[in-house]
Amino acid sequence: MEDILRATKAIVAAGAAIGAVLLAAGCSSSSSTASGSGSGSGSGSSSVSWATVTSAQAGGGMSALVAEAKKEGQLNVITLPSNWANYGNIMKAFTAKYGIKITDANPEGSSQDEINAINSEKGTSRAPDVVDVGTSFAVSGASEGLWAPYEVSTWSDIPASAKDASGDYYADYGGLVAIGYDSSKVKVAPTSFKSLLNPIYKNEIGINGNPTQAGAAFAAVYAAAIANGGSLSNIAPGVSYFKQLHQAGNFVPVTASASTVESGQTPILIWWDYLLASEVQAQDKNFKVVIPSDGTYAGYYDQAISKTAPDPAAARLWEEFLYSQEGQNLFLAGPARPIELPSLQAAGTVNKTALAALPAVPSNVSTTLPTTSQLSAAQTIVSQQWPSVTS
Amino acid sequence: MAPLTRPRRPRRESGIWRWVILLIAGVYFILPLATAQRFAGFSSFSSVFTQPGFGAALWLSAQLAIATTLITLAIMVPTTIYVHLRLPRLRRLLEGITILPIVFPPIVLILGVLQAAPPWLKSSQWLLGLEYVILAMPFAYRAIDAGLRAIDLKTLTEAASSLGAGWATTLWRVLLPNLGTALMSATILIVALVLGEFTMASLDLFVTFPVWIVQFDQLNAQMSVGASLFALYVTWVILMAITLAGTRQARRTGRGEVSLFTVTTSNTTVGES
Amino acid sequence: MTETTTVAAPGPVPGPGARPLPAARRRPSGRLRAAAPYAGVAPFAVYVVLGLVIPMIEVIRGAFQAPASGALTTSNVSTAVHGAYLSGFENSLLLSLICSVIPGILGFLIAYAIFTAKRASLLRQVVITMSGVFANFGGVPLAFLFVSSLGSSGLLTGWLSALGLNIYNMGFTLYTMSGVAVVYMYFQVPLMVLVILPALEGLRPSWREAAENLGARSWQYWRHVGGPVLAPSFLGCVLLLFGSAMSAYATAEALTSGTIALTSIQIGSFLNGNVLAGQENVGKALGVGMVVIIAVVMVLYALLQRRAAKWLR
């Protein structure tokens, strides 16, 4: 019996020693592990290195792309919840159409998680192929050289302000900041940010998290800024608005979600309109969504293909699918606002029922997107000032 | 004085106030749980249970828990004993080192490890297990250290060696049985840690039990709360099974308080530690 | 004299069935002999280097690098010690202090209450296992538990109001430091119970009886016997609780959504968020700050332990 213990110690020591040797070996080789494994997912015979193809045309046409993607047979996506902008149905439709299996890692993760996963899983077959991130992350990823430029077939239908000129990243869908409320508990319907200051809403209003960390919460502050005399370059009035809301006793600092709405903790929730619909309204028939009449903020997410994607052809086919009429209409059913909505409407290929289900946008509300420098300036102000909201 | 075979319960009944404390504690811990359970209802449990992936996720977590516990104890117990006996000046250093993993946010640790680890290790789930050992270290060390201070380590080891026991026999047949509570506390902490650890597993893209449970956040509110409570109950059942097995083992093999220790107990004087 | 242990006093003569004493081992010479005792901690050391030191070095390196270029800079560190981040350190320190000492005492009381029960008793097993479960319970689910019971429209709040005790009118709220501290007890107290329980075995009941026989009152027993014996372990466990409180963030985040500046939440925003991109190195600088704080706390802790040891004599 004593030998077991001695043996255990020896094994642990030996294992550690071996680990040290391998670590040293790994440290030198892991940095040089390129995406050579990218084309290695079974397709040795292709003369096209799909990892660097910048459009379907350049790769030999859509049929060549589809054939190659089917050969790869699988796609790694990340942080796509199934009830977020209808991603569940989008993934099902893609698999049904092309027979390519999709693995969705870390569905509740953040944009930073996606970037981290690309960096840490580089060279493995589990690394993400494509990402869906907030614009700041798409930009920072581009500066780190993480993306492979690619232009989908419907490239010209994407507005110029919503895509990177070199094709590194491109907006896919988005929404507006809206006010959702449970009409069975909230008797007087709120219509604007100003109306939320009414004392009858005491202890009822929440946002979906920490604006320094959660994109939707950050957007809520931005929207409040625009509604209160601020602008895309001035987010400070948004922070002071929430300070006011808290002093009135209406703001509940807890991270609000469908659960807190249903349990009655935060009957009023400021969130993306499509999430209010798909995550709260879907379970609570009394829940109503309204775009604030004094101003709101539009936020779009961005697609990008990883330069070191293990399944490059499948990744590109996925993008083609998302930006096809079918894909964009599936986003619309989210109910999110697909980036190519104007073109779909012009061409008459839009899903009219889904379009009608979108919350109405008040006429005086503009939805321009901020520039990168406006975004980072706003983020700095929020991270500095947000803790003062309750003090 | 009659030889003691077990520490006797103190004659004076801390009786009443013991129950008062436990009652207050019970209310504080159970009431919020009951409130959440009331909200969630019980129907969610069967849907969670039958969701695909439950078995696989639980099995992965169980494997990691077993591996982490074994490795952590195998490293920490001999090391702590060794330091207490031979290198007492290193005790502070050991305390400092073992507090570090708890101060470093797990996300920072896993990012650093993922940067340094070789690819073949990264694609394996055992990288997670190895990192969990680091996370478990502070708790294991504290429990073992507390247990070691409670027994008369020096006398025990000297007595054992003078009776002819080698280092390993001393550890296995003399010290470990007297560290029963410490080992049990450490095991429980480690298993509960592994069954509840989310950040590192999700960053490493592995579907352990807590990672698997989070998917229910997407469903309706009752389901999502019900799922977290379900995870809590599953963890508790596993821990109960471990403690029951542990005490049954102790009773069966007669390992408990009966050891060399009791022979020396009657010779100790008040105040000696 | 054998090499195995230094024997202070000769033990009992081995009986007929005992194994013969091990033969004297050859002594390694000179420097090797001086290093030999440290060989015992080699496996631990190797593990710590691989699993802890190397990631730490990565983090420290990152803290002093500019994110895009990799050039050496102190801008991350200077950001990390000003404004909201300085408040973060202050708040984290205060919260961790409160949430280590108080649960330390409460956890000790609970552990003492059950340690007097039989080893295999159901009460003890249930409390120990539940402590294990709660010690690791936190984040959004825990926040929900408390918001639904003690929130402004919580169940318990409602009951207390019905009894005439409106705690919110009296100024209590779950979303301040004190509210967060109340919620932190939920995992800090069980942690304390589990780590102090093994130490309680060091309190021999014979000492208590002897003290009583000598006419000592309860507080005298604690002052002269129980306290000194348990003090080192107690302090060590409180230190552990301090570290645990400093690094906890999911619960505070879910409760306050960042309206209280806490270092752990801020690190999360940089390293794990959806808003701040490309600034991970400030997060790493904050992490280095946490390590500095813990190092200072360790020094104070060592001083405290030395005081406690004097008490023992």
Side-chain angles (χ1 to χ4, degrees):
Chain A
M1 222 191 276
E2 54 255 16
D3 296 320
I4 298 177
L5 221 59
R6 209 174 285 162
T8 313
K9 272 209 105 178
I11 290 173
V12 170
I18 295 175
V21 170
L22 288 164
L23 208 64
C27 277
S28 48
S29 67
S30 64
S31 49
S32 58
T33 308
S35 56
S37 56
S39 53
S41 327
S43 65
S45 57
S46 160
S47 55
V48 178
S49 168
W50 282 95
T52 49
V53 162
T54 53
S55 73
Q57 275 310 82
M62 270 299 284
S63 38
L65 176 58
V66 174
E68 184 61 29
K70 282 190 180 167
K71 241 191 258 169
E72 283 173 0
Q74 70 150 36
L75 178 72
N76 294 335
V77 300
I78 186 171
T79 70
L80 300 183
S82 56
N83 58 357
W84 182 292
N86 211 11
Y87 261 120
N89 288 330
I90 292 177
M91 290 193 278
K92 278 196 205 121
F94 182 80
T95 305
K97 186 164 185 177
Y98 298 111
I100 297 174
K101 179 171 167 300
I102 299 183
T103 313
D104 181 14
N106 197 1
E108 299 291 312
S110 64
S111 296
Q112 184 65 52
D113 285 342
E114 302 183 57
I115 307 247
N116 288 339
I118 289 192
N119 281 324
S120 31
E121 299 291 329
K122 197 182 338 196
T124 72
S125 62
R126 298 184 313 136
D129 290 311
V130 288
V131 298
D132 182 22
V133 291
T135 309
S136 315
F137 293 87
V139 171
S140 110
S143 68
E144 286 174 44
L146 296 180
W147 314 135
Y150 186 77
E151 294 185 9
V152 290
S153 321
T154 54
W155 185 253
S156 45
D157 289 340
I158 306 176
S161 57
K163 62 194 178 193
D164 174 53
S166 34
D168 275 351
Y169 54 87
Y170 18 93
D172 43 9
Y173 64 88
L176 304 176
V177 173
I179 301 173
Y181 60 98
D182 185 335
S183 55
S184 64
K185 299 199 177 83
V186 180
K187 299 302 175 194
V188 178
T191 53
S192 62
F193 279 105
K194 188 137 190 277
S195 67
L196 288 177
L197 290 168
N198 190 334
I200 58 166
Y201 300 130
K202 210 172 166 75
N203 283 322
E204 290 189 351
I205 305 173
I207 59 176
N208 181 247
N210 180 353
T212 321
Q213 214 197 70
F218 175 73
V221 178
Y222 229 152
I226 294 174
N228 282 281
S231 68
L232 289 178
S233 13
N234 182 14
I235 197 175
V239 181
S240 15
Y241 169 80
F242 276 100
K243 194 172 177 129
Q244 224 186 330
L245 202 62
H246 180 258
Q247 276 162 353
N250 297 2
F251 178 57
V252 184
V254 75
T255 296
S257 62
S259 302
T260 57
V261 171
E262 273 187 50
S263 59
Q265 307 303 320
T266 58
I268 303 178
L269 174 52
I270 304 174
W271 207 9
W272 292 122
D273 56 354
Y274 56 95
L275 293 178
L276 285 171
S278 68
E279 297 207 13
V280 193
Q281 216 172 32
Q283 308 164 34
D284 181 359
K285 295 303 162 223
N286 295 319
F287 201 71
K288 299 205 184 337
V289 180
V290 60
I291 309 274
S293 60
D294 46 1
T296 188
Y297 172 79
Y300 281 77
Y301 280 86
D302 293 287
Q303 284 288 320
I305 299 177
S306 164
K307 200 179 266 183
T308 50
D311 315 288
R316 285 157 176 77
L317 185 59
W318 171 254
E319 300 298 347
E320 293 289 347
F321 181 71
L322 290 183
Y323 289 90
S324 68
Q325 172 198 327
E326 183 181 358
Q328 293 281 293
N329 270 317
L330 279 171
F331 276 133
L332 186 62
R337 288 158 211 271
I339 192 64
E340 293 176 354
L341 186 58
S343 328
L344 287 177
Q345 284 176 294
T349 47
V350 69
N351 179 335
K352 297 214 169 35
T353 359
L355 184 58
L358 286 182
V361 184
S363 50
N364 60 336
V365 164
S366 91
T367 55
T368 15
L369 301 175
T371 64
T372 354
S373 49
Q374 285 174 325
L375 259 184
S376 48
Q379 288 163 1
T380 313
I381 294 183
V382 167
S383 63
Q384 285 291 338
Q385 294 187 5
W386 183 248
S388 67
V389 159
T390 51
S391 53
Chain B
M1 215 170 157
L4 300 166
T5 50
R6 273 192 118 91
R8 254 196 249 138
R9 261 176 265 175
R11 225 177 319 124
R12 175 146 45 119
E13 269 336 295
S14 28
I16 282 298
W17 67 261
R18 176 218 292 196
W19 291 109
V20 166
I21 287 181
L22 289 178
L23 189 67
I24 297 177
V27 167
Y28 171 77
F29 284 100
I30 303 293
L31 205 60
L33 210 59
T35 316
Q37 184 64 69
R38 197 165 172 269
F39 171 73
F42 288 96
S43 50
S44 36
F45 287 168
S46 52
S47 8
V48 173
F49 193 69
T50 52
Q51 193 78 355
F54 170 69
L58 195 58
W59 176 231
L60 177 60
S61 284
Q63 285 177 299
L64 288 173
I66 294 172
T68 309
T69 309
L70 288 177
I71 299 178
T72 311
L73 292 180
I75 294 184
M76 291 310 297
V77 173
T79 308
T80 316
I81 292 178
Y82 193 85
V83 168
H84 269 243
L85 275 180
R86 298 283 199 94
L87 305 168
R89 262 175 297 153
L90 281 195
R91 258 205 305 223
R92 284 288 168 264
L93 183 63
L94 191 60
E95 272 179 324
I97 292 179
T98 53
I99 198 91
L100 280 178
I102 214 185
V103 168
F104 257 114
I107 175 155
V108 157
L109 274 181
I110 189 74
L111 281 182
V113 167
L114 286 174
Q115 262 174 314
W120 65 266
L121 190 58
K122 264 197 268 200
S123 8
S124 143
Q125 69 211 34
W126 300 112
L127 176 67
L128 211 50
L130 293 181
E131 265 312 294
Y132 282 168
V133 171
I134 297 284
L135 283 190
M137 259 196 334
F139 306 98
Y141 171 76
R142 196 41 72 189
I144 297 171
D145 177 77
L148 283 178
R149 285 183 203 261
I151 67 178
D152 196 348
L153 185 62
K154 228 174 163 58
T155 312
L156 272 178
T157 38
E158 288 169 13
S161 76
S162 59
L163 281 174
W167 192 96
T169 319
T170 313
L171 180 70
W172 191 253
R173 294 173 71 182
V174 176
L175 295 176
L176 285 190
N178 280 293
L179 287 175
T181 312
L183 293 178
M184 182 59 72
S185 280
T187 305
I188 287 187
L189 280 170
I190 300 173
V191 171
L193 184 144
V194 173
L195 289 177
E197 201 289 321
F198 173 79
T199 316
M200 290 170 87
S202 70
L203 244 102
D204 203 16
L205 307 181
F206 273 108
V207 185
T208 57
F209 184 60
V211 170
W212 182 82
I213 281 284
V214 164
Q215 65 171 298
F216 292 97
D217 279 1
Q218 299 175 40
L219 300 175
N220 71 59
Q222 272 103 341
M223 279 284 292
S224 106
V225 174
S228 345
L229 293 176
F230 178 76
L232 200 139
Y233 300 144
V234 167
T235 309
W236 183 62
V237 165
I238 294 178
L239 292 180
M240 277 298 276
I242 294 176
T243 40
L244 285 173
T247 44
R248 189 133 41 94
Q249 163 89 327
R251 249 183 272 154
R252 198 177 346 121
T253 58
R255 281 192 203 149
E257 304 302 292
V258 183
S259 63
L260 278 175
F261 181 53
T262 55
V263 174
T264 56
T265 305
S266 44
N267 292 330
T268 57
T269 52
V270 176
E272 184 185 292
S273 66
Chain C
M1 196 82 120
T2 61
E3 173 71 322
T4 43
T5 49
T6 49
V7 180
V13 177
R19 279 170 51 242
L21 292 172
R25 289 210 212 109
R26 210 172 333 154
R27 297 167 169 230
S29 61
R31 207 171 295 162
L32 200 60
R33 176 155 64 135
Y38 292 92
V41 292
F44 173 75
V46 173
Y47 206 95
V48 163
V49 165
L50 289 181
L52 189 60
V53 174
I54 291 183
M56 264 182 69
I57 292 179
E58 282 299 327
V59 169
I60 296 177
R61 209 157 52 105
F64 290 99
Q65 272 180 335
S69 57
L72 275 181
T73 171
T74 55
S75 67
N76 299 322
V77 177
S78 66
T79 313
V81 296
H82 286 101
Y85 306 111
L86 187 60
S87 318
F89 281 121
E90 291 166 357
N91 289 337
S92 291
L93 209 54
L94 183 61
L95 186 65
S96 304
L97 226 51
I98 297 174
C99 292
S100 51
V101 175
I102 297 181
I105 297 173
L106 295 175
F108 170 73
L109 290 175
I110 295 178
Y112 192 71
I114 60 161
F115 124 88
T116 47
K118 272 212 314 254
R119 174 71 78 82
S121 87
L122 190 63
L123 171 72
R124 192 164 149 144
Q125 285 178 343
V126 165
V127 172
I128 288 180
T129 48
M130 285 178 71
S131 297
V133 171
F134 291 134
N136 277 288
F137 189 60
V140 173
L142 179 61
F144 184 84
L145 248 60
F146 271 87
V147 171
S148 63
S149 50
L150 277 179
S152 44
S153 42
L155 197 64
L156 191 57
T157 316
W159 289 352
L160 289 174
S161 294
L163 290 175
L165 206 71
N166 191 324
I167 48 179
Y168 274 81
N169 281 354
M170 300 197 316
F172 170 80
T173 161
L174 211 52
Y175 313 116
T176 53
M177 286 268 272
S178 37
V180 172
V182 168
V183 181
Y184 268 27
M185 298 294 148
Y186 210 78
F187 52 86
Q188 293 287 80
V189 171
L191 179 60
M192 183 64 177
V193 169
L194 278 174
V195 289
I196 196 82
L197 200 59
L200 288 176
E201 310 246 307
L203 282 184
R204 314 272 179 274
S206 49
W207 296 348
R208 183 96 195 212
E209 290 165 11
E212 281 168 33
N213 287 344
L214 288 170
R217 316 264 290 270
S218 196
W219 67 267
Q220 281 172 320
Y221 166 72
W222 284 111
R223 162 92 176 73
H224 294 283
V225 182
V229 168
L230 285 183
S233 302
F234 181 80
L235 283 177
C237 295
V238 168
L239 177 70
L240 182 70
L241 256 58
F242 181 85
S244 160
M246 276 224 73
S247 65
Y249 95 97
T251 313
E253 166 90 351
L255 273 177
T256 64
S257 299
T259 51
I260 302 179
L262 287 174
T263 308
S264 46
I265 293 183
Q266 290 164 338
I267 293 181
S269 305
F270 284 111
L271 294 179
N272 202 14
N274 275 301
V275 175
L276 300 170
Q279 295 185 51
E280 299 96 321
N281 290 349
V282 181
K284 292 181 186 173
L286 288 173
V288 172
M290 299 244 290
V291 177
V292 167
I293 288 184
I294 269 288
V296 171
V297 169
M298 283 294 297
V299 169
L300 296 172
Y301 166 77
L303 290 173
L304 263 177
Q305 286 280 28
R306 221 173 293 167
R307 259 308 160 72
K310 283 211 196 93
W311 189 17
L312 189 61
R313 289 186 223 118

